[in-house]
Amino acid sequence: MAQNRTFKFTNPQRVEKILSQYPDKRSATLPLLHLAQEQEGYLTSAAIEAVAELVEIHPGEMMDTVSFYTMFYTKPMGKNHVQVCQTLSCSLNGADSLVDHISEKYKIAHGDVSQDGKISLVKVECLGSCDTAPVIRINDSNYESMTVEKFDKIVESI
Amino acid sequence: MPLIKIDDKEIEVEKGITVLQAAIDERIEIPYYCYHPALSIVGSCRMCLVEIEGMPKLQVSCNTTIGELPPERKKDGKYDMIVRTQTEIVKRERENVLEFLLLNHPLDCPVCDQAGECYLQDYSYKYGRAHSRFLEEKRVRKNEYLGSNVIINHNRCIMCTRCVRFTREISGTNELFVQARGDVSKISIFEDKSLDNMLAGNVIDICPVGALLSTDYIHKNRFWNLEAKKSICTDCSVGCNILVYSQNNRIYRLNARENHNVNGYFICDIGRYGFHRYEDAEKVTSPLIRSDGGFKPISWEGALKEIYEQFSMSMSGEKQQIVGIASPFHTNESLFMFGRLMNNIFKDKSIIGKLPFIEDYEIHFDSGFRISKDRSPNRKGLLDFCPNLEDEILQKVKAGEVRLCYALDDGVDRKLDEEWESFFKSQRFLVVQTYAMTPLAKLAHLILLGPSPMEREGTMTNDQGRIQWLNPSVSLTNKTRPDWEIIMEFMNTVGKRELKYTSVNEVNLEMGERFPDYRGRTFFKIGYQGLPKKNITTSRPSEGRQAIQ
């Protein structure tokens, strides 16, 4: 885990709002972790400790949760975080060849970040757009009916 | 109170307890792994599934509480719950759960330390299927060190998370967590903080399978070779209850023994690994007498003759000549005999003193477990049986004319500072009763060979005033005599008494006669769980010599 000494939520109002939504502080664990990850791109140990303090559990216990969910990262991801859907429709329509292409082009495997820090690749489960398979998600937007050529163009444009 | 039926047994239970608890109390067997009475309930192993009438699916009995139904809804007209633990569906379910637990579990029982006391082994035999249907490759991981004394074998782990809950709820140190999920999940150390707290060894005890192993015991012996003795720990004044496992008079390991009045379910690592101190010590193998700067062996008869020659003369003199050094490491019985020797035979010719108590830091855990500052097991007993202890013995002795000293040695933990060393050196004749060549024994003129802590038998009084049975786990060697017997012989020789106790029980009975706090506290009565002293609330006033007749 990369060490980042201090962590502070840049938007305390949102933290307050999330905490006020639940009768039990522990229930705010996941939304707060997402918020922290949104802010830094990944979860530093300082961030995990900060969230643990807010929901009043031990950071060790918080690690159970963080390591359980695949969408939380404990190391920095690339500037463009590429998520390739691996579920049935996308697999049938050539998601594997997309993964192979990205792996070869940027010399990265599942979960890795390219050396220049621009691209990171993970395989994910269904992104909810099976009719336009294969689907990938780059940062916060979905791209449908992907092909290798289309992917290269999109990456160039962003 | 709710009335429930488990199989054919009608049981009245307290409202709010779980089905598993009710079954355990009634000695009805329901298999389980993740449940532990000292830890919170997670219901993750699914082994304790039972059928409950009116519920569509099987329920985990460890997490199903028993409530009361309104009269019109009672089952069969009177029951609040009907539980079945032996039906076909329950049996099939147990078989299935075991099959899942064993998916990645290696078949390495012949080299596993847990074999023989392994719940996975027992339940597989009892509830599991005889053959594995699993044809795929098993997931294999390397062993890891969790702490300096604990190794984890990931392949054997069934993810019951007892150890993780232990570090969170009992030791409060949070070293362990469950990493990832599914078949890649494993027990890990949080942020490289290794499992090295004072209670770390307990995770090995509570692991239901052979996943957590002690570096101290790994591959040393098999469980079925070991003889377990119920005893108490002598490394601090709490007096935790332990099981001592030994084979052929060699101790292999100590485990915690349940006693809710003392230590709960756990012991600390000081006690758990402390027995090695006695192995490493330079042992005394026979009574020894000083000769030409060294020691030479002497028979017991010779030793007693020597004692007679040295001590009997001083009894007729005017001055206090004899100092007795009592020890809080000895049993009540030997301290009682020592008090009698000093107060009834030497009377005002003697004073009783003690070396400074051995103290260290005190540790309290939030769960209530504690390690006492007082690192001697029987300070309470010492103060009870030698009420006229002289605190300022060094000053007193300097002024007076003490020339003979009989010291019960504290053992391997005792270190002597210069002041005490010169005090012992100034004695005309120093008798030390010990089991090892301690700094004190090295100064002696005569060494009497007593038992080591693992060989001693008697009672100890812990810092809460609870009298407990120190049960020997190792038998005495040829030339060793029990402490009380040595003191008895001392009394017979020097004081011309005719005491003929044949066992520690007789000394214990006599002790009860003379000390009302200990009346009726026989070995039979205190048993393996101990009993508090009588009149526990009143502290004994310093009554001086008249107290002992």
Side-chain angles (χ1 to χ4, degrees):
Chain A
M1 198 183 298
Q3 291 298 315
N4 194 339
R5 287 280 160 228
T6 54
F7 176 85
K8 221 174 161 156
F9 279 107
T10 48
N11 193 345
Q13 288 86 9
R14 268 184 80 185
V15 175
E16 277 309 309
K17 195 169 167 246
I18 290 169
L19 280 172
S20 68
Q21 280 169 349
Y22 304 97
D24 184 2
K25 279 188 174 173
R26 264 180 98 132
S27 313
T29 302
L30 288 181
L32 286 176
L33 283 174
H34 277 299
L35 187 66
Q37 180 158 292
E38 206 174 285
Q39 188 178 317
E40 303 228 321
Y42 71 106
L43 289 170
T44 58
S45 57
I48 291 169
E49 270 161 38
V51 176
E53 205 183 325
L54 279 172
V55 301
E56 291 167 7
I57 61 174
H58 191 273
E61 216 169 330
M62 185 63 80
M63 271 310 286
D64 280 6
T65 314
V66 172
S67 66
F68 184 90
Y69 291 105
T70 52
M71 281 170 79
F72 291 126
Y73 309 110
T74 49
K75 59 176 189 183
M77 284 293 145
K79 192 166 158 253
N80 295 317
H81 185 48
V82 181
Q83 302 157 59
V84 185
C85 175
Q86 285 294 295
T87 314
L88 191 63
S89 328
C90 295
S91 270
L92 287 172
N93 282 298
D96 282 349
S97 59
L98 266 172
V99 171
D100 289 347
H101 171 72
I102 302 167
S103 294
E104 257 169 55
K105 187 165 174 191
Y106 299 99
K107 309 260 180 301
I108 48 176
H110 165 70
D112 287 351
V113 189
S114 64
Q115 264 184 347
D116 56 4
K118 282 195 177 141
I119 295 272
S120 56
L121 169 71
V122 286
K123 302 178 198 170
V124 297
E125 298 306 322
C126 188
L127 291 169
S129 189
C130 306
D131 56 330
T132 55
V135 185
I136 65 165
R137 185 178 173 85
I138 303 180
N139 300 331
D140 288 333
S141 4
N142 280 7
Y143 297 90
E144 297 164 334
S145 308
M146 286 305 295
T147 58
V148 171
E149 295 76 32
K150 224 171 144 185
F151 172 79
D152 286 342
K153 252 187 222 164
I154 293 167
V155 172
E156 270 166 38
S157 67
I158 49 178
Chain B
M1 293 226 300
L3 182 69
I4 67 163
K5 192 165 121 177
I6 303 182
D7 298 333
D8 297 328
K9 214 164 182 176
E10 273 183 25
I11 312 158
E12 218 175 338
V13 298
E14 241 171 85
K15 201 171 163 179
I17 71 163
T18 62
V19 176
L20 181 60
Q21 196 56 57
I24 291 170
D25 292 346
E26 282 298 314
R27 306 277 192 276
I28 296 168
E29 190 186 341
I30 297 178
Y32 60 83
Y33 293 114
C34 66
Y35 170 81
H36 189 281
L39 303 173
S40 63
I41 292 165
V42 290
S44 66
C45 73
R46 315 311 283 182
M47 198 58 205
C48 66
L49 288 168
V50 290
E51 199 179 344
I52 295 174
E53 203 173 288
M55 297 206 186
K57 288 181 182 172
L58 299 183
Q59 300 293 315
V60 275
S61 59
C62 67
N63 207 8
T64 307
T65 47
I66 301 164
E68 227 164 336
L69 291 175
E72 68 277 8
R73 282 179 55 207
K74 298 249 187 219
K75 314 273 178 195
D76 288 358
K78 56 177 179 172
Y79 301 117
D80 291 289
M81 190 182 270
I82 298 178
V83 182
R84 297 196 188 88
T85 69
Q86 300 297 332
T87 55
E88 274 313 303
I89 182 164
V90 173
K91 283 182 182 166
R92 202 176 63 227
E93 213 54 50
R94 281 176 190 163
E95 200 179 292
N96 292 345
V97 168
L98 270 172
E99 197 172 11
F100 277 123
L101 290 175
L102 291 170
L103 275 189
N104 285 308
H105 194 91
L107 198 62
D108 63 351
C109 302
V111 295
C112 177
D113 277 343
Q114 192 84 4
E117 50 176 348
C118 173
Y119 286 101
L120 203 55
Q121 221 177 23
D122 293 352
Y123 293 156
S124 296
Y125 184 71
K126 207 163 177 183
Y127 305 110
R129 50 169 66 239
H131 301 282
S132 170
R133 296 185 295 180
F134 192 63
L135 300 173
E136 291 75 10
E137 262 179 56
K138 290 186 187 247
R139 179 207 63 207
V140 180
R141 291 193 185 129
K142 281 203 170 122
N143 292 4
E144 278 178 84
Y145 277 90
L146 287 185
S148 43
N149 286 317
V150 186
I151 300 175
I152 186 163
N153 182 319
H154 289 296
N155 302 332
R156 293 181 191 150
C157 179
I158 57 166
M159 299 306 287
C160 69
T161 70
R162 274 187 184 186
C163 52
V164 176
R165 281 174 285 149
F166 179 86
T167 61
R168 286 178 190 167
E169 293 159 22
I170 307 295
S171 68
T173 43
N174 286 280
E175 289 101 341
L176 301 179
F177 77 106
V178 182
Q179 191 180 34
R181 64 178 174 191
D183 76 324
V184 291
S185 63
K186 62 172 189 176
I187 306 294
S188 280
I189 309 164
F190 175 59
E191 291 195 331
D192 303 328
K193 188 179 152 201
S194 64
L195 183 64
D196 277 324
N197 63 67
M198 294 304 280
L199 297 179
N202 289 299
V203 298
I204 303 157
D205 279 8
I206 62 173
C207 183
V209 298
L212 294 172
L213 304 162
S214 156
T215 50
D216 191 54
Y217 173 67
I218 189 167
H219 299 161
K220 289 257 173 75
N221 209 328
R222 309 315 314 268
F223 175 71
W224 49 86
N225 292 334
L226 299 173
E227 183 189 2
K229 273 278 173 68
K230 292 172 180 170
S231 188
I232 54 165
C233 175
T234 56
D235 285 346
C236 84
S237 61
V238 173
C240 289
N241 287 216
I242 53 170
L243 281 171
V244 185
Y245 288 91
S246 63
Q247 183 191 14
N248 297 337
N249 288 327
R250 188 183 152 195
I251 295 164
Y252 283 87
R253 63 168 196 194
L254 306 187
N255 276 15
R257 183 161 62 86
E258 192 179 329
N259 188 339
H260 294 285
N261 291 302
V262 184
N263 56 317
Y265 298 88
F266 308 111
I267 57 171
C268 74
D269 281 10
I270 302 174
R272 184 180 299 269
Y273 305 116
F275 67 93
H276 291 298
R277 298 206 304 283
Y278 312 124
E279 288 171 1
D280 300 342
E282 188 189 339
K283 289 204 182 66
V284 177
T285 51
S286 124
L288 299 171
I289 188 152
R290 184 171 287 282
S291 118
D292 307 331
F295 287 106
K296 72 170 196 229
I298 185 172
S299 67
W300 276 106
E301 290 73 27
L304 288 169
K305 200 170 150 231
E306 193 72 30
I307 286 169
Y308 177 75
E309 278 167 16
Q310 296 290 344
F311 281 79
S312 58
M313 290 188 301
S314 65
M315 305 224 348
S316 52
E318 289 288 305
K319 291 172 185 158
Q320 283 190 336
Q321 290 220 333
I322 299 161
V323 60
I325 300 291
S327 157
F329 283 80
H330 280 248
T331 59
N332 288 333
E333 283 73 13
S334 59
L335 290 168
F336 161 67
M337 294 297 282
F338 193 74
R340 272 172 91 184
L341 170 71
M342 288 296 154
N343 294 322
N344 299 1
I345 292 181
F346 296 139
K347 297 191 181 126
D348 52 358
K349 303 290 181 303
S350 72
I351 50 175
I352 306 185
K354 57 159 180 62
L355 287 155
F357 286 125
I358 298 176
E359 291 188 337
D360 212 321
Y361 49 94
E362 171 136 2
I363 308 170
H364 278 264
F365 291 89
D366 289 343
S367 54
F369 191 90
R370 73 197 167 87
I371 300 166
S372 171
K373 185 172 82 172
D374 179 9
R375 296 295 162 88
S376 51
N378 201 17
R379 188 194 286 202
K380 269 259 157 79
L382 171 65
L383 299 175
D384 280 345
F385 294 107
C386 305
N388 46 340
L389 270 187
E390 193 64 59
D391 285 331
E392 305 289 312
I393 191 137
L394 280 176
Q395 284 71 13
K396 191 110 182 176
V397 167
K398 266 178 205 157
E401 280 278 301
V402 176
R403 285 287 171 264
L404 295 166
C405 179
Y406 177 24
L408 300 180
D409 195 2
D410 288 341
V412 292
D413 297 333
R414 171 57 68 193
K415 291 175 184 61
L416 288 180
D417 60 16
E418 272 175 29
E419 207 177 0
W420 279 100
E421 205 172 309
S422 66
F423 162 73
F424 284 117
K425 272 184 182 158
S426 72
Q427 302 302 313
R428 188 164 56 94
F429 197 73
L430 172 64
V431 181
V432 175
Q433 186 165 323
T434 190
Y435 55 90
M437 265 298 170
T438 58
L440 174 56
K442 282 181 183 143
L443 303 174
H445 296 95
L446 180 67
I447 294 176
L448 303 176
L449 176 58
S452 75
M454 291 297 176
E455 297 166 340
R456 278 188 189 132
E457 177 158 29
T459 58
M460 294 255 183
T461 310
N462 80 354
D463 55 5
Q464 306 292 308
R466 194 175 187 82
I467 305 166
Q468 303 196 95
W469 184 353
L470 179 70
N471 195 4
S473 39
V474 175
S475 54
L476 292 181
T477 53
N478 228 352
K479 286 180 177 161
T480 315
R481 294 280 174 275
D483 289 310
W484 59 267
E485 194 178 313
I486 301 172
I487 304 167
M488 182 180 81
E489 290 300 336
F490 205 120
M491 289 167 83
N492 289 348
T493 312
V494 179
K496 302 265 184 291
R497 296 292 199 274
E498 288 185 347
L499 299 173
K500 287 202 167 51
Y501 300 123
T502 53
S503 74
V504 71
N505 294 305
E506 289 172 26
V507 184
N508 178 284
L509 283 175
E510 181 69 29
M511 185 174 92
E513 290 294 312
R514 295 177 187 227
F515 286 84
D517 282 0
Y518 289 82
R519 185 160 297 151
R521 294 296 186 252
T522 60
F523 290 98
F524 184 77
K525 278 207 177 138
I526 62 174
Y528 293 119
Q529 295 277 307
L531 272 182
K533 280 197 315 197
K534 292 196 167 170
N535 318 318
I536 185 88
T537 45
T538 56
S539 59
R540 281 184 72 83
S542 174
E543 292 164 53
R545 283 169 197 276
Q546 285 75 37
I548 307 161
Q549 293 304 317

